[in-house]
Amino acid sequence: MLYFAKWKTTLIVLICLAGVVFSAPNAIRGAADSLPDWWQPVTLGLDLQGGSYLLLEVEADEVVAEHLEALVESARAELRTARIRYLGLGVEGTTATVTIPDADQRGSAQRLLAGLDNAVEVTAGDDGQFLMTLNEQAMVERRNQAVEQSIEIVRRRVDETGTREPTIQRQGQTRIIVELPGVDDPQRIKDLIGRTAKLTFHLVDGRVSPEELVAGRVPPGTEILPAAENNADGPPTYPVRKRVEVSGDRLVDAQPSFQDNQPVVSFRFDTQGGRQFGRVTSENVGVNLAIVLDGAVISAPVIREPILGGSGIISGSFAVQETQDLALLLRAGALPAPLMVLEERTVGPGLGADSIRAGALASLLGFALVVVFMLASYGLFGGMAVVALFVNLFLLLGTLSFLGATLTLPGIAGIVLTMGMAVDANVLIFERMREETRNGRTLRNSIETGFRQAFKAIVDANVTTLVAAGLLFYFGSGPVKGFAVTLSIGIISSMFTAVMVTRLMVVTWLRRGRAQALPI
Amino acid sequence: MPALLNIVPVDTRIDFMKGRMVALILSGVLMLASVVSLGVQKLNFGIDFAGGVLVEARMPDAPDIADLRTRLNDLGLGAVSLTHIGDDDRDIMIRVQQPEDATEEEENATLAAVQGVLGDGVDYRRVELVGPKVGGELIEAGIWAVSLSILAIVLYIWFRFEWQFAIGAMVALVHDVVITLGLFSVLRLEFDLTTVAALLTLAGYSINDTVVVYDRVREKLRKFKKMGLVDLLNLALNRTLSRTILTSLTTLIAVLSLLFLGGDVLRNFSAALAFGIVIGTYSTVYVAVPILVYFDLRREAIAGEETVGPEEQVAAAATDAATEGPLAEQEEAPAPASETTSETASAPPRNAGQRSGKKPKKGRGRKR
């Protein structure tokens, strides 16, 4: 216990130096940009630097429902072509149902339905009812795809707003975490990512009279859609054909611009979209074309002439900001499913700065008091423990910086707590030395025994705390995770400094001096 | 440089075990009171668990709280609490508790409504919105974290010590956690995610304390095979007393500086920790250790547990020889004075030979 091989001494000194080197960038935080990637200060959490945290849920069941809706539409067409009579064709939740009243036609109907889509399972119920559901694998696949796609689109939308260094990552099955440092009002971003931005062009059903529209009586294949918020001048509802003539997927560009001094959004389709748009507008001159965004009609202008160039404009009573946002959303693409904000936490830069100040003050005071306490209790050896504590702080900060870990306010609390607990190992060792001296051992002997006997207790005690910290990391989220990280690193580095660094100092002191008695 | 300060008198011989009945009854009463309080008035869940909307704002001017409260209540959003926080009298905190079946859209609308009432020119220092779904999940994760950490710690102790120690540690841990929860319930302190973090930390701290004393108990068990358990536990407690007090004090100092200077955000966290350190230290001395008396500590198994290398065996034998003499005569010896440690191989060789001859027999006896 009282002998250190040369390589061991060197290693200990090197580790301590590495701690100092890696924590150094924190002292020159302002110049961090000019430092190499591996030599950066510790990242500050959103609660310290200010920013917004959003937890979003992808409503992936909508994708399934949408898929079934499409299935129902093709089933309608196929059943009609095959002259099979059907009742109650529709979607409820994640199941589509249809009833075939004629018992003779049920067999062929089932074959026909099963042939529509091989991802769909058709089961026969009572009284000629058939239930269609997506099979497990297709369901998982679609949901997964929806989440992946949503992440991509959220990233594009957030990037377009010019937020610096956003973090967007998946959590669990259907959730997305968005972290926006420096954003203190996430409302605009919430508005942007909260919108599906699904743009479709439909024909307005001219056969429906205003009376029928008010009464809600429309032919099959036509639905009633409300006017969008900005569309205050037109009628409150529109009879719109369900069939999508052209969809926003085909857009290659969208920009805010002006027409007759009114803010509008101009867009351009890709080749296929342009061709579809040209065909629809050629065949339906004089008919109203409804521009539908997220299930509401923005406007429904009359098609005056065929539009063959593949580009057009969306007009409505827009404000300038609205055209900018809409253009952005259209460029970034539609979300495959609606997103829901489950959790939002925003810390303003003022509170963040206050937290840093409070945390720093508490750390300094805690540190100073522990130093005084150790010096007063253990004299010279206490001084060595204090040096070890310093080394411990450098190691902790250096490791956090090196790992690119995030420092949160609870993380600062973890550092403060570590300082209190770090001296525990030294206290254990020193107390043991005192005890052994009282038992009549020589100086050398009691120092050696002190280190050896205390070691077992130190390991057991720290491993148990580490277990708690590990679970905290696993179950915690955000700031709490940051606390678990600093606590764990602090426990490990404090074991190293208390056992190795202090011992090295004591051994050196013992070898050089001519001490006769324990200085504590 | 000698030590300036000796907080703990050396070589104490406090009879901790004498008061064990009183202490166990006290602990029992505290736990019962905590459970009753948790059952009756439950915990004052913060926004993390209860869900809802929280807004901390710095108004342009010191606001008229009464007027603001009326206007907020007029929104008809549910339970709205408006409080003044911090040192700056422009700072306010608003918390809206949504009904349990509130949807995410409703919560978002609530936030917008509150921001509408506050008007323009407000510096939003903190805005939190937690959907009811997430709140429920966070409660679940918190319960898992605390239970699993207790379980993992207990398993580790079982692995390193004996099952009696594991049970003692578990009782002490549950004791600390329940009483801290009880304190939060009685005082209506806000219970949120950081409080769970504090609970886990105090579990780690408390067990740290307990393990150090248990380690000493085990050591003494090996050394003084004939000493009465009560005396032995007292001895172990006294020998670790100075360390227990010193470590608790340094940690408490650090936590108290957090409590008073760490700002509002950390207040409940530091309060839970500060209380946890006190209760954790108490439970080590008065719960974890005394409870060992009531278990059938198979002393021989524990004493012979680590008969690893021959070196240690000889050492142990020598110790036995050195201590057995006086102790054999007076079973309930108040040991500290006569205690000698493992390397004091000053025993008469004849005696040592006898003892090391006996050792292996014990080992075989265990296997049966």
Side-chain angles (χ1 to χ4, degrees), chain B residues 227-247:
Chain B
M227 190 193 282
L229 194 53
V230 170
D231 288 330
L232 192 138
L233 295 180
N234 255 334
L235 175 62
L237 281 172
N238 276 296
R239 279 308 155 90
T240 47
L241 183 64
S242 51
R243 174 267 161 193
T244 306
I245 293 178
L246 279 170
T247 298

Side-chain angles (χ1 to χ4, degrees), chain B residues 60 91 134 191 201 223 241 346:
Chain B
D91 287 357
V134 176
F191 188 85
T201 314
K223 215 180 294 168
L241 183 64
S346 59

Side-chain angles (χ1 to χ4, degrees), chain A residues 338-354:
Chain A
L339 284 178
M340 187 70 95
V341 179
L342 289 186
E343 193 182 345
E344 174 194 337
R345 292 173 196 270
T346 304
V347 171
L351 184 61
D354 286 357

Side-chain angles (χ1 to χ4, degrees), chain B residues 128-150:
Chain B
E128 300 197 342
L129 179 155
V130 179
K133 198 161 157 195
V134 176
E137 286 168 18
L138 290 176
I139 295 180
E140 206 172 292
I143 293 174
W144 272 112
V146 174
S147 326
L148 278 183
S149 71
I150 291 182

Side-chain angles (χ1 to χ4, degrees), chain A residues 57 175 190 342-346 348 354 362 376-378 417 424 431-432 435 441 460 471-472 483 519, chain B residues 3-5 48 108 125 127-129 131 133 137 149 156 160 200-201 216 219 242-243 246-247 341:
Chain A
E57 177 148 270
R175 292 184 179 174
K190 256 167 72 185
L342 289 186
E343 193 182 345
E344 174 194 337
R345 292 173 196 270
T346 304
D354 286 357
S377 302
Y378 294 114
L417 190 68
D424 177 52
E431 286 301 315
R432 191 71 195 217
E435 202 182 323
R441 285 171 183 261
D460 278 343
L471 285 163
L472 200 53
F483 170 75
Chain B
L4 299 172
L5 168 93
D48 292 340
N108 279 297
R125 289 164 64 82
V127 175
E128 300 197 342
L129 179 155
K133 198 161 157 195
E137 286 168 18
S149 71
Y156 181 79
R160 292 286 298 174
L200 284 174
T201 314
R216 195 59 78 96
E219 186 188 317
S242 51
R243 174 267 161 193
L246 279 170
T247 298
T341 28

Side-chain angles (χ1 to χ4, degrees), chain A residues 130-165:
Chain A
F130 291 99
L131 304 172
M132 292 171 274
T133 48
L134 277 184
N135 63 33
E136 196 62 29
Q137 195 198 343
M139 203 99 109
V140 170
E141 229 166 65
R142 292 237 146 62
R143 286 204 180 124
N144 218 13
Q145 238 171 32
V147 176
E148 289 297 328
Q149 220 175 328
S150 301
I151 290 175
E152 188 47 43
I153 285 163
V154 167
R155 177 168 295 130
R156 270 191 250 159
R157 289 186 187 176
V158 171
D159 282 347
E160 294 256 14
T161 61
T163 307
R164 65 184 166 84
E165 294 174 33

